[in-house]
Amino acid sequence: FRRVLFRSRFLNTLSEPARNVFLRRYFFLESAAEIAERYAMKPGAVAVSLHRTRAALREHLRREGFFDE
């Protein structure tokens, strides 16, 4: 239950486009090419969005005490 709350808290910090890209990649397991086509983006833009979202997730996890660097 705590994990679901944590995930929704993190996802709610994202913009809608970033959240959609992140969920399409890691929940629906779509490729960057599929996501790019779905949202009329370039594959490179999808990659950049995912990179930034993973960095935000890493920082969120660090702040929540899940790991220390």
Side-chain angles (χ1 to χ4, degrees), residues 5-65:
L5 287 176
F6 161 75
R7 279 184 289 216
S8 65
R9 273 199 322 256
F10 171 70
L11 292 174
N12 287 333
T13 68
L14 301 175
S15 68
E16 185 176 348
R19 184 173 48 249
N20 289 341
V21 168
F22 187 79
L23 289 173
R24 286 281 162 196
R25 180 67 187 112
Y26 296 111
F27 185 76
F28 295 104
L29 303 175
E30 291 183 5
S31 69
E34 290 169 322
I35 296 166
E37 186 176 333
R38 175 182 296 278
Y39 294 112
M41 300 169 70
K42 293 182 180 179
V46 171
V48 168
S49 177
L50 290 170
H51 174 77
R52 289 177 180 166
T53 302
R54 287 190 306 268
L57 176 58
R58 189 177 306 113
E59 178 60 23
H60 188 81
L61 289 169
R62 189 190 61 71
R63 281 193 318 269
E64 293 288 322

